[in-house]
Amino acid sequence: MELSMEMTPRVEVEEDSDNNKGSMWDLDQKLDQPMDEEAGRLRNMYREKKFSALLLLRLAFQSLGVVYGDLGTSPLYVFYNTFPHGINDSEDVIGALSLIIYSLTLIPLLKYVFIVCKANDNGQGGTFALYSLLCRHAKVRTIPNQHRTDEELTTYSRSTFNEQSFAATTKRWLERYAFRRNALLILVLVGTCMLIGDGILTPAISVLSASGGIKVNHPKLSSDVVIVVAVVILVGLFSMQHYGTDKVSWLFAPIVLLWFLLIGGIGLFNIWKYDTGVLKAFSPVYIYRYFRRGGRDSWTSLGGIMLSITGTEALFADLSHFPVSAVQIAFTLVVFPCLLLAYSGQAAYLMQNKEHVVDAFYRSIPDKIYWPVFIVATAAAVVASQATISATFSIIKQALALGCFPRVKVVHTSKKFLGQIYIPDINWILMILCICVTAGFKNQSQIGNAYGKFIEENDLWTAVVIVMLVTTLLMILIMLLVWRCHWILVLLFTGLSLVVECTYFSAVLFKINQGGWVPLVIAAAFLVIMYVWHYGTLKRYEFEMHSKVSMAWIVGLGPSLGLVRVPGIGLVYTELARGVPRIFSHFITNLPAIHSVVVFVCVKYLPVYTVPEEERFLVKRIGPKNFHMFRCVARYGYKDLHKKDEDFEKKLFDSLFLFVRLETMMEGCSDSDDYSLYGQQTERSREALLNDNGNTASSFADPTISSIDSIVQIKSPSHANFTSRSSDRTSSQAEVDQTEFLNNCRDAGVVHIMGNTVVRARRDSRFYKKIAVDYIYAFLRKICRENSVIFNVPHESLLNVGQIFYV
């Protein structure tokens, strides 16, 4: 059954000043109070999962196949792209190697692995994880659905400030004006969109490099054949993503580990064979000599040097798939030393063979192992794209939960590690875009160069350096607001990071017109999608907030609400965690009946990585008891997932029944009307309560149960023990009556009432606003998943209430 109603409401903003708070406002406060006490009584039951040493080593091994493939294949093409016109002086090789060594040390090792990775949100990485940390420490979230009860969550960790501290000053500066909060959000979106653009370019470039290897022995082979082979590999690569990170990493990790061991061993051999003098590149003096001797050519060659750290930008976003310690172990023990040996070995070879710079990697391979290394190199080039694909899944899931991306299906591929996810829609979109990019490079002569390695370095430069700059800017705020570091440490981190990244960025500016615009166009398209969706979501929330119905008006209708109360339970879904949504008043003024029990259900995502199951639901009665109206707030983190099953509705009703039972028990155990109850508890206390046959006093007197969870507020344990038996019998009978009433209503049927708010631009709006709201946002709303699908609502139990809102 579906009901569609339309209206054009006039939204009036409610003032919070004391002058407007009259008797009706006071009545609303008494009838519909926030859930401060309910949230405060939830015990901190969550504990961070600890990993054994053996499991940690296994995860470190698996992370090689997912996180470090892109970074590990850079030795294939760095020196060629650094010296595309040949090497004039052997000292230039030492200078370039010195730049590579210090770039790897400062950016991937020090900045990302040992500093940025520490800023993870309980194991979640990426720009949105940093943003969620900032949202918890300052009021910078643009959708104002946070409440002080959310701060009682176990996972809602944050620091307090001294009002005179620099951190408090920075916090006030961020919160003072809305445009600063919007600027912060746009900065986060830019970094996210650039990483998505990187996730499109990297697979295309990596797979083309692998398929281009065919032309090593067949230089006359048509480029069309290379393109077809690349497309086939891309289809196969994206088709296996649904198996999940765990299985994919087991397939890819041996290839990448073998690759690192080979390039490290070959590099060590070449250093010993050709020139051990390249080790003097560890002195930063040669960087200065390199720039002084080469001038502008040395400056523009930084693009090739920067390719040695591509893949680092995805490292942080991939943290959701593996624990931080596993990623750190893999990098410090395997990746970093093998890369240093590989680059040093190539430099040693080039010192005596400057004319072989075009195919330095393959030329430096000993003849006896050339073909095995070539096969492994081709396989590693294909695997290299997995890092950005997995990172794209993670950041889109985070953006989705924070209201910055249209609703798409998210699949958890591992029962042990919830951060390992797969997004089918995004997977196929990425595949199509990668194929389009691959076909767009059809006429590029670089596809079949002498060593079969294709690279359009200008495309990668832009995306990589902007993501790194965004991460640096967000880390400055993290160090000030979250870590509360001394300003000298913040200045040191900022200085070192910006010196390196701004130097690379200046080189990027010279190459924008030579292909660097490609990721900008891709990122701009995703930025428009994400910002328009966020804008529409924000306006819908503001509409619900400003047009909510007074609880006093509901009470004035009487227990029957002026309607016929028919058996059944009506679940009214709303964005509001407090107040009666307008769709409910619209519903009861247009229909002659309403269900015997009404539950306002608010599902909201918080800027935390997860909400433990025992802290998920908050339940409270609103209005007088004979109105049979409740509110249930279901809280989720950006790592949590609505599973398409009946689990959500079951847990909701479990929480509701438990609330009613506890409420009745408190009426019998306490002589005070000031009590607070809440929904879902720990499994042990739940079973103890539900299995108790009326002996409520003994349940609360049990020290084992009370130590697990303080379920209700009582004056003392002895107060319950001395409650009269007549009160016990009265409360037990009331409890049975209430439970029986809810069971009968549930058996009569459950109807899910959802609002279908259509957002449209006003006639006098500017043309770009009309395009954004009437076309882009409307199109996104049409193609994204409906709430009824997310909650697995049966079509026959769904009732849509339509309304139009003009912005």
Side-chain angles (χ1 to χ4, degrees), residues 582-599:
R582 190 179 183 91
I583 61 167
F584 182 70
S585 66
H586 192 53
F587 177 79
I588 64 176
T589 54
N590 285 272
L591 287 180
I594 190 64
H595 302 89
S596 300
V597 177
V598 176
V599 182

Side-chain angles (χ1 to χ4, degrees), residues 620-633:
K620 190 177 185 71
R621 185 186 296 276
I622 58 176
K625 194 170 184 179
N626 57 350
F627 277 57
H628 303 297
M629 297 174 66
F630 303 88
R631 181 182 311 286
C632 177
V633 179

Side-chain angles (χ1 to χ4, degrees), residues 64 68-78 104 255-271 308 334-347 360-362 364-366 369 372-374 376-378 380-381:
L64 291 172
Y68 295 114
D70 190 13
L71 186 65
T73 54
S74 296
L76 286 171
Y77 47 82
V78 167
L104 284 171
I255 298 173
V256 177
L257 178 60
L258 180 60
W259 167 252
F260 277 119
L261 295 177
L262 283 174
I263 62 174
I266 293 171
L268 188 62
F269 172 78
N270 287 334
I271 293 171
S308 64
V334 178
V335 179
F336 185 66
C338 288
L339 285 178
L340 291 183
L341 288 173
Y343 287 118
S344 299
Q346 284 191 51
F361 175 79
Y362 286 100
S364 65
I365 300 174
I369 61 172
V373 173
F374 177 81
V376 174
T378 303

Side-chain angles (χ1 to χ4, degrees), residues 714-774:
I714 55 178
K715 294 182 177 179
S716 66
S718 61
H719 181 80
N721 292 330
F722 288 103
T723 302
S724 64
R725 294 184 179 181
S726 60
S727 297
D728 286 343
R729 287 193 294 269
T730 303
S731 62
S732 298
Q733 183 60 40
E735 174 189 324
V736 172
D737 293 342
Q738 287 285 331
T739 305
E740 185 178 356
F741 175 75
L742 286 176
N743 272 319
N744 291 337
C745 291
R746 185 180 182 181
D747 294 339
V750 179
V751 175
H752 301 257
I753 303 171
M754 293 186 174
N756 185 17
T757 304
V758 178
V759 181
R760 292 181 182 174
R762 289 192 177 95
R763 292 185 179 180
D764 58 347
S765 300
R766 297 182 181 273
F767 75 94
Y768 58 83
K769 187 174 183 179
K770 290 182 179 179
I771 293 174
V773 174
D774 293 344

Side-chain angles (χ1 to χ4, degrees), residues 112 116-117 119-120 124-127 130 312-319 471:
Y112 274 89
V116 176
C117 284
N120 67 88
Q124 302 298 299
T127 50
L130 297 178
T312 307
E313 72 284 358
L315 183 153
F316 184 45
D318 280 325
L319 283 187
T471 303

